[in-house]
Every structure is written in C-alpha cells, then in structure tokens.
Amino acid sequence: RYLAQAVDPADHAAVLAARPELVDGVVITDESSHARAREALAEAALLPRSAVAVGTASALLAPPTGRVDTGVFLVPPNPAMHDEQAADGERQALRERAARRDEEIRALAARLTADRTLAARLTAWRAGCPAGRLAELAAAATAAAEAADLAVDQQHEAAVRRAEAQEAAAEAAALRDRRQQEAEHARRRSDALAGLAGRLRERARWQTRVRELTEEAAEAQQRAATLLDRARAADEDRRTAQRSADDNRRTARALRAERAEIAGASDDDTPDEDAEHTPSTSSLPALREAYRSASRLYEKVGVGADLRAEQARAEGDESAARAELDRLTNKVRTRAGQLLESAEGADGPSRQAAAARAEELVQLLETRASAASERLGRLRGEVERLAPADGQAHTELPEDQVPADAEEAQRLLRAANTELAARAEALETARTRHEEALRAHRAADEATAASEETAAQLRDLLRDPPPGEEPAAGEPDAYPGTPAEARTAAAEARRSLRGCAADLHAADVAVREACDVLVRHANSTRYEQVRTPARQQIRELPASALPEHAAAWAEAFAPRLRVLTDELAQLERNRDSIVDRLRGLVESATATLRSAQRLSRLPEGLGEWSGQEFLRIRFEEPDQATLTERLGEVIDEATRAAVRKNGDLRRDGMSLLLRGVHAALQPRGVSVEILKPDAVLRAERVSVGQMGDVFSGGQLLTAAIALYCTMAALRSNDRGRDRHRHAGTLFLDNPIGRANATYLLELQRAVADALGVQLIYTTGLFDTTALAEFPLVIRLRNDADLRAGLKYISVEEHLRPG
C-alpha cells in the first residue's frame, strides 16, 4: 500500500528495483515527520502480517548506501499473526491492557463523578450562604443547640417515665398471661381428670376383655401356625404331584416321538382290548431294542470278525448283568420290574426324574418326622416339668371345677387366669395407695421439721439484745420498709442469687467442656506431627489451669490462624476450579450418551424397527448444586486416597471422569436397553445385563456389530464429520459361523449402511444362502513358492449374486 503522492509514477519501478522490501510499505511525504512517525508506530504496537517499510520520499529515491540510518525503517512482523502460541500470548496481553484501561476509565469516571458532585454542592452552598449569612447561622445554631439540649433532657425524662410505664405494663401483661395460662391449665386438667375418671370406671371391664382377647389371639395364632404347617405340607405335595405329572407328560411326548421314528411301529396310541392278552413284544421298549439291534446288524453285516467280537462282548456284559441281578432279592426285582413297566421307567430321563422326586420325598418325610419327633419331645418335657412332685395333682379342685375334657380345662384355665389378673390388679392398686400414703407421711414430716426450723430462726431473730449493748458498727441496717416488702425483697434476692449460681455453674461446665475438647484435640492422632510448645503444654497441664493460659495461646495462634485460613481459602478455590472442570467433562460425557442414543436411529424399511433408536439410554441429570456437591465428594475421595500411603485408588483422568459420571447419575444410574434382533423385527427391548441370557449367538453378534457401528458414528460426530457418510471399516472374522440367518445379515448391513460403516466379512464356509446376501464375494486361495519358501494369498474368482 503506497502513499506515493510525492513519488513520480515513472519512478515506481526504479524505486521497487532498488528497494524490493518496499513491496508493502509507507512513504512519508513530510521529511520532518520521520522521527515522529517512528515514535508513533513504536507506541501503537501494530500487528502486521509481514514487514512494513517506512521512509521519506527522498530516502526512497536516493541510491542505496552502506549507512545504517538511511531514513528508512521497518515495522517488524508480529509472530502472533502466524504462530498460535504467540497469538495466545498476544491476546492475553491485549486482554490485560484492555482490563487495565477499563479499570483506569472506571477510576477516572468515579473521580469525575465525585468532582462534579462536589462542584454542585459548592455551587449550591454558595447560592444558599451569601456574604454575612454566617453570623445569622451561628446565632441560629446556638439557639438550636440550646433547644436541642432542653429537648434531650425532656426526652430523657419522658423515656424514663415511658420505661417505667412499659415495665409496669409488661408486669401486668405477664401477670394477666400467667393467670390466663393457669386458668387454661386448670380447665384442661379438669377436663382431663373427668375423662380419666370415666376411663378408670371402664378400666376393669376393658382389662378383662383385653386378657380374654389376648388368650383368644394366642390360641388363634397357635391354630393358624398348625394350619399353616399343614398348608405348606399340602402345597409341597401338590408341587411334587405337579412335577410328577409334568415329567409323565414329557415322557409320553418323548415316547410318542420316538415311536413315530421307529420303522414298523403302529401310529395308533389308543389302547386295544386284545393287547391285554397278547405278549408285550410290540411294546415301546421291545420295539426300541429291536430297532437298535436291527440298526447295529445292518451296520455290521459286512464284517464277520467285528460282529463276532461284538457278540462276545455283549454276552460278557449280559453275564455280568445277570450275575448282578441274581444277587438282588426277589422283592427288589419285583419292585424294579413294576417301576420299569410304569411311565416313570420309560427312558433314562424319566428314571432320573423319578429318582430325584423319590429323594426329595424321602427328605421331606424325614424333615416332617424330625419336626414331629422334636415337638413330641418338647411336649413330653413340658409334661414332665409341669407334673406334680408327689401325688396325682398339684391341688384338690372342687367338684364343679373338675374338667371333663381338654376344652373344658382350657375354659376353666382362662377363667382362673382372668380372676388371677383381677386380684393382681387389686393388689397393685393397694400397693400404689400405700406408697402414696407413705410419701404423704414423709412430706408431712419434712414440712413439720421445716416449720420447726423456721420457728426457731424467728425466735432467735426476735430475741431482744441485752440492755446497754449497742449494735455493732458492721451490722446491716434494718430494712426501712414493711415486713411484707422485706419478705418480697428477700425472696427476690434469693431468686437472683440462685440465678447467678446457676449461671456460674453453667459457665464452669462450659469452661470444663471447652478444656476437655481442647485436650482431646491436642491428644488426637491427627496432630501427632505437630511439635509446637503450646500443644505440649496443653497435654501436660491440668484441666483447671488451662483457662489461665487461654489468652496467651489465642494471641500466639492468631497469626498462624490467618495463614491457615488463607491457605484453606486458596485450597478451596483450587478445589472449586477442579470441580468446575470435572463438571464440564461430566456434562460432556452425558451429552455423549445422549448423542449415542440419537445416532443409533435405524433407517426405514425394517418393519417395526423403522425409525427406532437401537440404543435407549435413560438417566436423570441432577441439578447444578447437586452435581457440584457429588463431584466435590469424588475429588475429596481422590485427595484422601492420595494422602494415604497404601491407597490403591486410581487417580488418572479417565478414572476420575468415570467416577464423576457414576456419582452424578446416582442413585438410579444409567439404564441401557437394546433392541432384540429376531426374524420378524419386533420392537422388543432387552436390558444389556440380560443379553447373555436372552440373546442367541447370532443375535449377540448382530447386537455387537450394531453397537460398534453406533460407536463409530459417535466418534465421527465428535470429530466434526457428522455429515460424512464413511465412519470407518469393520473386519469380521467368520461371523457366518454364528450368524448365518438371512434376517440377521440383512439387519447388520442395514444398520451399518445407515451409520456409514463398511462391513467386510471373512469366512471359510461356503454357505450359498448366506453368501447370496452380499453384493460381492471374493474367493481367495493359498499359493506357495517352493523355491523361495514364501506363501501368498491370491484372488481366485469374484462372485456376484445371480
């Protein structure tokens, strides 16, 4: 950019050829402004992208010489225009200069406002106080001061009278409130006593009814416990029968299916009347054994030696089995035959289930037998404990109270217990009255003794002094008022003394508690590293001597307290900054979870899955105050772990972020649900914790591929390429071995295409149904160079659908 008014246009080329640095520069037309221009540019601190040459027109037209000062100087380029670090430093410096300039402007504005206010006040004062006005104002001020003094005296007298009136009014109001409270309390007590008297009249009947109801409730509970045990036993029997029925039905289904598979077996399951009289050669076990024998014979018909060896082994096994069978008793063999002919002995699983049920039944019967035996022993022990030591009964009963059966005995026992409770209640009432009478007697004795002591004191006080004896100079003067006023004053003095004594006792207790707290702090293990003399003195001095040194210790600890307070404030500021930074990272992490759910939206054309989000991530975001508090606890825990010597808590960035997210989303945490892949693509969601139990192998692989595609799309979105179709490539190692269903392959490719992920499948299986779903199949083969000892993978052919 040239200011070339002083240079002839014809000389531009010559000037540029002589001074190529002036491609970008400034020409000063006034030579006397050269020095001032240099100063102005130095103070301006410009930020040019490149070097700018500045010089006068004569210096530019003059031939170049070897002198240093030629009238041309350069404004150096600022590195902040091309260096990011320098730009950050320059921006920081500019912000600091701008902040200082703002502070100066605010200070100058405040001073200017104060000056203007002062000038306005001076102008108003000059207008209101012309020459000669001071004497009048002084006289008026003197008169006003006298009037003010008089008014202050009057106000003081009025305030004294008002305080006296207020005290009298307060005393009267307090007396009125006390009287009203006493009257209200009296009314409440009267009502309460009337209600209590009514309830006391009904107390005996209620207590009798309560005892009867308690006994009935105990009996009902006992009967309920017995019935509950029976119900549990019946329920257990029902469950056993149901399990047995289920096993029988399962066995029947298995036998029908097996019979249908056996060649030559009848398909009619209905029993035949003639079958009862025919041999059981067409039964299912016989058919099964015949089928197995025929199959083995068919397989081994061409090998004679093997067949003979198999026959020899079979005969040996048959001999061993027959010998073992002969060792059993006839009863055992008969029962075993019956069980084998039943539905429970049809096959191996049925026999195992029947054996398990028998074991459970044996355990149940043993449990019931042991419970019954235990109850029988307990009842026998109770009978032995309650049996009379000698004779047939504990006491003789009247004829009308001898029970005829157990129910009548229980009824008579309840009546006896009721009468016993009534007598016990009467005895307790008599004892209570006796104790009240004893307390009244002791109170009367104490009142009598106090009255006698008071009478003796009054007799001593009323005793006249001997004639001619003068009272001592140090004795108190007689009370000038009446005896009633003297008693009132004495009572007030005693109340004041008791109040002062109570305050003194409370103060002593507070001082002792403070001393105990101080000693506990000094002896705490937290301060074992503190070696100050004050701590040693606190630990060694007795508790009674600690208050004497409290002032000196407080004065000595004051500077240290200020230093510690400043350090704690600085630590708190640092903690707040760390918490703010962690809060930003946690909020970014929760936003990432939201983005993952949003980016997992599936394309159209997938039935019920169309437009659905493959992932559903649900959590509750706390408010800012709760989030700050929880993250502060995380930081504090990490700090405590760092202080401990044997702490194993990790403190790297990712661990802190994970703990922060976990604490922020408490107490419910994160709930993640995923769509379950099936043949009809129903919109059924399953928790990620149940995938291993609900999903099959192919469904697990499909869900894993969909999750990977979602994470790849999320990474692409975080990098600012949310509109870029290609989010990555995923190589799969033989997925067709686990997920070869057509709907799973279609779902994998649809999700990957929607999220911009390229899937490349590798497999060694030639499943034409699965491979037909891909647009291109490249078959590879292994080649070997025997001379060089190298191995290669070569493309054999390209296959396309159709």
Side-chain angles (χ1 to χ4, degrees), residues 97-378:
R97 287 201 297 273
R100 289 197 298 271
R101 184 63 59 85
D102 291 340
E103 292 178 358
E104 293 176 359
I105 290 172
R106 285 195 293 270
L108 292 176
R111 291 175 58 187
L112 179 60
T113 303
D115 293 343
R116 288 176 179 173
T117 304
L118 181 59
R121 291 177 61 189
L122 290 175
T123 302
W125 179 76
R126 286 181 179 275
C129 297
R133 181 70 174 168
L134 292 177
E136 297 177 2
L137 293 176
T142 303
E146 294 176 355
D149 294 338
L150 180 60
V152 167
D153 295 338
Q154 294 177 355
Q155 181 184 6
H156 181 67
E157 294 176 0
V160 172
R161 291 194 297 273
R162 178 173 175 273
E164 294 176 354
Q166 287 180 350
E167 291 179 358
E171 291 178 358
L175 181 60
R176 176 177 57 82
D177 294 339
R178 278 199 305 275
R179 294 291 185 267
Q180 289 180 354
Q181 291 179 359
E182 291 175 358
E184 184 67 24
H185 289 327
R187 284 194 297 271
R188 291 179 181 176
R189 290 174 182 173
S190 175
D191 296 339
L193 289 174
L196 183 60
R199 287 194 296 271
L200 286 176
R201 286 191 294 271
E202 299 292 333
R203 180 182 178 185
R205 184 173 60 83
W206 289 350
Q207 288 181 347
T208 304
R209 183 58 179 165
V210 165
R211 284 192 295 270
E212 294 176 355
L213 293 177
T214 302
E215 293 175 357
E216 293 177 0
E219 294 178 359
Q221 288 179 357
Q222 185 176 3
R223 289 196 300 271
T226 305
L227 294 177
L228 181 60
D229 295 337
R230 294 179 181 176
R232 288 175 179 173
D235 186 64
E236 185 66 27
D237 296 339
R238 180 189 59 80
R239 286 197 295 268
T240 303
Q242 185 175 2
R243 286 195 297 268
S244 178
D246 293 339
D247 292 340
N248 292 333
R249 285 193 292 271
R250 179 185 57 78
T251 304
R253 288 194 299 269
L255 292 177
R256 290 193 188 99
E258 187 175 359
R259 183 167 182 170
E261 294 177 357
I262 296 175
S266 176
D267 295 334
D268 189 7
D269 294 337
T270 58
D272 195 359
E273 295 180 356
D274 297 335
E276 298 179 357
H277 306 286
T278 58
S280 60
T281 55
S282 61
S283 62
L284 186 59
L287 290 175
R288 184 188 300 126
E289 186 64 26
Y291 179 76
R292 291 175 182 173
S293 301
S295 298
R296 288 196 298 269
L297 181 61
Y298 178 76
E299 292 176 356
K300 301 178 180 181
V301 67
V303 184
D306 294 341
L307 186 59
R308 287 191 296 272
E310 183 68 22
Q311 181 182 2
R313 285 195 298 270
E315 291 176 354
D317 295 339
E318 181 183 3
S319 301
R322 185 172 297 279
E324 187 176 358
L325 179 62
D326 292 338
R327 285 196 297 270
L328 299 176
T329 62
N330 294 329
K331 184 178 180 181
V332 174
R333 282 183 288 182
T334 303
R335 183 57 180 165
Q338 294 174 359
L339 292 176
L340 288 175
E341 291 176 359
S342 63
E344 295 178 347
D347 54 358
S350 300
R351 289 193 291 272
Q352 292 179 359
R357 287 196 301 271
E359 290 291 338
E360 293 178 359
L361 182 60
V362 169
Q363 293 179 1
L364 178 61
L365 294 176
E366 290 178 353
T367 303
R368 294 179 181 177
S370 62
S373 177
E374 181 181 358
R375 183 180 179 184
L376 179 61
R378 185 169 61 252

Side-chain angles (χ1 to χ4, degrees), residues 593-605:
L593 293 178
R594 297 292 188 192
S595 300
Q597 177 177 348
R598 177 177 54 83
L599 292 174
S600 65
R601 188 176 299 276
L602 299 173
E604 298 295 333

Side-chain angles (χ1 to χ4, degrees), residues 434-476:
H434 179 65
E435 292 177 358
E436 291 177 356
L438 290 178
R439 285 196 296 270
H441 180 67
R442 285 195 294 269
D445 292 341
E446 293 176 357
T448 303
S451 300
E452 292 177 355
E453 183 179 359
T454 304
Q457 292 178 358
L458 291 176
R459 285 194 297 270
D460 294 338
L461 293 174
L462 294 175
R463 190 175 299 157
D464 296 334
E469 183 178 354
E470 297 295 335
E475 294 181 357

